[in-house]
Amino acid sequence: MEVYKYNKKELRRKALNERRLCSKKFVFLRSLSISRKLANFLKLKNVKNVVSYNPINNEVQPNFFISTNVNVFFTKINVESLRIAQSKNFKKGKFSVLEPFCGTYTFKKQIECFIVPALAFDKRGYRIGYGMGFYDKLLQNSKALKIGVGFDFQVKDFNIKEDKFDVSLDYIITEKRILKCRR
């Protein structure tokens, strides 16, 4: 498979523009479908402790159905990394992401699954995010299941050039499919 010929910055810009064109209705209806698939998948895998995120910029909303069967923790930007907290109280944090502002913090080793957003994915599970490396640092050395969620058009038919610190996902769930990633 061909490696994407542009740099990550260019791919990031193109992917963000592509997602910005989605209507609110498109995002909502497909998020419902993806969230339902995700909840069923987590139930099938018997996952009890999961880290999710609150969406921005037309990202998939993964949390419609998952909270019924599992303990859901959320990411919080702390200096140059992400922390994990369980809370029902959120406020806008860095980059306007809703983050837990109080609650119980947990350790990465207690988490069985990470739900990860992206601007683009390849079929090997590599992703393009916003370029800060927060998720790669969080996922580094974790044995937990790593699931990317996105719209089907975000899964690209080329390989994203990975860097040595990039972490590959195990699965990608879209409104059309559950893709087991090839590494």
Side-chain angles (χ1 to χ4, degrees), residues 102-118:
C102 62
T104 308
Y105 286 92
T106 190
F107 296 101
K108 198 163 70 166
K109 65 183 176 186
Q110 296 171 300
I111 300 301
E112 299 166 274
C113 178
F114 289 93
I115 299 167
V116 183

Side-chain angles (χ1 to χ4, degrees), residues 15 46 73 94 98 171:
N46 200 31
F73 297 85
K94 199 168 185 176
L98 286 177
Y171 293 90

